[in-house]
Amino acid sequence: MTRLFGALLVSLISLAHPLAAQDGGPFSPRLIVSGSAITNYEVDQRMRFLRLLNTPGNIEEGAVEALIEDRLRLDAGKLMGISAPEELVLEGMAEFASRADLSVDEFVKAIAEGGIERDTFYDFVEAGVVWREVIRARFGPRSQITEAEIDRALALSSQRGGARVLLSEIILRADTPAFKAQSEALAERLSREITTPAAFAAAARRYSVSGSRGRGGRIDWLELSNLPPQLSSLVLSLGPGEVTEPVPIPNAIALFQLRAIEELDANTPDTLAVEYAQFLLPAGASAEAQKVVQWIDACDDLYGVAKGLPEDRLLRDTKPVAELPQDIALELAKLDEGETSILNRGAATVVLMLCGRTPDLGEDVDRDTVRNRLRNQRLASYADGYLAELRSDAIIQQK
């Protein structure tokens, strides 16, 4: 909490200078999403808020994308007659502020020093509350977990044993609206048509942009507990040879095929959290990133690489696997301690290194706990797919 609050203060200092104004005045439309305007002021406010949260990548693009998605979430709520009662929004604001060990009033006062209005914080939380209720209403009946699925999850992921999986991946570009629309359509077609490992491998070689394309998308054995929860939930529902539904990840659309699953006799505890580091370079700086990889053997070595550079060039954090961005979680699942991967994330080339894993040494869990975890993971997967569908159907006009 102390580190988070310190980061908050540093971010507020950087926000003290106003951002460049867009043409047409602060309250002129920046873009129109299915008839609903997003103003320059809203973009400016969201940019400030994202900077406060130390969001990596192109902040302006991230702010615009986040506001578009919030409009889509709220519009979906209106179509279903769902709104967010003020008391639920206030509860959400309190929970968010508590992550920095602050009350809502203290948090609002702190962000005001960076020029962020309370309404910006309120709107941010409101969209999330509405979306949660939309997903529950739309997909609740489809998210029911069977007793057999609970049995399998307990057998594969509990302290009584573990599992590892052989997956293949197809990663499709979605870093521009045009590529995103094209990849969504292609992913839907491939997920319906592919029925064999050979067909999946051929599609990976033809379409995938991941480093595994030359191997037909094949990934080495992965511990199931190291995968992002949403992906592990999808994998548990597959049989060998079956393909997931399209999985949205930052700037990409992914498909995964289960080639094999193997139960482990050894006592393999779940991963509770991972510690990892990101060293940020400009987009397209793959050659420089390769040089960095050659210089480092452990996460601490990155401090020497980043010496004299702005603090936001090196990010080091420890997070539960469930809270990691999908693309980062998937890459970390492939790594052992001290290993690296190079990612392209928006406007940045990222040298990603796994510093270590914190194992869950175990508590007794009941079946309801497992049921709720699997259900939440399934709902999250449905939510990602539905948001992608709303985005492809929306009419978005740049002003």
Side-chain angles (χ1 to χ4, degrees):
M1 290 300 179
T2 302
R3 291 174 61 194
L4 180 58
F5 185 56
L8 173 64
L9 292 178
V10 170
S11 298
L12 290 175
I13 293 171
S14 69
L15 287 170
H17 303 287
L19 300 172
Q22 300 292 326
D23 293 338
F27 296 103
S28 297
R30 172 70 177 272
L31 65 162
I32 307 294
V33 180
S34 298
S36 177
I38 295 175
T39 65
N40 291 324
Y41 173 77
E42 290 175 285
V43 174
D44 177 86
Q45 284 282 295
R46 185 58 65 93
M47 288 174 65
R48 292 171 182 266
F49 195 59
L50 292 181
R51 288 187 189 279
L52 181 148
L53 299 177
N54 289 322
T55 303
N58 187 304
I59 293 296
E60 184 173 7
E61 290 180 3
V64 170
E65 185 69 18
L67 287 167
I68 290 173
E69 292 183 350
D70 280 357
R71 284 292 193 279
L72 296 176
R73 294 181 177 109
L74 292 171
D75 287 347
K78 290 178 183 177
L79 288 174
M80 298 178 66
I82 294 174
S83 59
E86 184 177 8
E87 58 270 22
L88 288 183
V89 179
L90 293 177
E91 287 178 9
M93 294 169 69
E95 190 278 331
F96 193 93
S98 70
R99 300 176 192 176
D101 201 22
L102 299 173
S103 69
V104 171
D105 288 342
E106 290 170 335
F107 189 83
V108 168
K109 182 178 180 181
I111 65 177
E113 295 179 19
I116 303 170
E117 299 289 341
R118 182 183 188 278
D119 286 347
T120 297
F121 181 33
Y122 186 98
D123 293 344
F124 169 79
V125 174
E126 180 187 27
V129 172
V130 169
W131 185 240
R132 181 187 65 197
E133 298 306 316
V134 166
I135 297 306
R136 286 177 177 174
R138 185 178 179 88
F139 298 108
R142 293 171 54 187
S143 67
Q144 300 308 307
I145 303 300
T146 66
E147 295 301 316
E149 288 175 307
I150 295 174
D151 289 339
R152 189 178 187 193
L154 286 171
L156 296 179
S157 302
S158 75
Q159 290 296 307
R160 293 174 299 181
R164 60 178 187 167
V165 292
L166 276 177
L167 297 177
S168 294
E169 64 180 359
I170 295 175
I171 308 296
L172 304 174
R173 282 188 63 178
D175 52 344
T176 68
F179 276 120
K180 187 173 184 179
Q182 177 182 339
S183 294
E184 285 171 351
L186 176 60
E188 288 288 349
R189 178 171 66 82
L190 293 177
S191 67
R192 293 193 307 268
E193 296 179 355
I194 292 176
T195 58
T196 66
F200 193 96
R205 291 189 180 95
R206 180 175 180 182
Y207 300 114
S208 183
V209 296
S210 74
S212 62
R213 64 177 296 174
R215 304 187 300 275
R218 292 180 178 86
I219 305 172
D220 292 335
W221 285 105
L222 299 174
E223 298 288 341
L224 187 64
S225 63
N226 290 344
L227 290 173
Q230 293 179 23
L231 181 55
S232 64
S233 177
L234 290 175
V235 169
L236 283 172
S237 68
L238 298 178
E242 293 183 340
V243 178
T244 65
E245 298 176 356
V247 179
I249 60 178
N251 298 313
I253 306 292
L255 291 172
F256 299 94
Q257 183 182 57
L258 177 65
R259 304 197 328 267
I261 186 167
E262 179 181 88
E263 294 188 30
L264 302 175
D265 294 331
N267 188 20
T268 307
D270 287 345
T271 297
L272 178 64
V274 291
E275 182 183 5
Y276 65 102
Q278 299 178 78
F279 183 68
L280 307 184
L281 295 164
S286 297
E288 187 176 350
Q290 290 288 354
K291 292 180 181 178
V292 171
V293 169
Q294 294 174 6
W295 293 335
I296 58 177
D297 296 309
C299 286
D300 288 347
D301 296 340
L302 285 167
Y303 292 109
V305 177
K307 186 176 181 179
L309 298 175
E311 290 185 2
D312 60 3
R313 290 284 299 276
L314 175 59
L315 307 175
R316 186 167 176 172
D317 207 348
T318 301
K319 287 186 178 181
V321 175
E323 295 182 10
L324 294 170
Q326 285 270 43
D327 57 337
I328 293 221
L330 179 60
E331 288 302 314
L332 290 174
K334 304 173 186 177
L335 303 178
D336 292 325
E337 184 174 332
E339 291 186 335
T340 58
S341 180
I342 297 174
L343 298 178
N344 292 313
R345 305 194 79 224
T349 298
V350 180
V351 176
L352 177 69
M353 175 172 264
L354 175 64
C355 307
R357 302 186 192 277
T358 302
D360 183 355
L361 298 179
E363 294 181 1
D364 291 335
V365 295
D366 59 28
R367 296 180 70 84
D368 285 340
T369 300
V370 177
R371 187 191 310 277
N372 289 335
R373 175 169 61 85
L374 293 176
R375 183 172 183 270
N376 289 336
Q377 291 169 1
R378 186 164 295 175
L379 284 172
S381 178
Y382 287 144
D384 289 341
Y386 184 40
L387 186 60
E389 178 185 330
L390 293 174
R391 177 63 183 264
S392 65
D393 292 340
I395 299 174
I396 300 174
Q397 300 169 290
Q398 299 284 341
K399 303 299 288 185

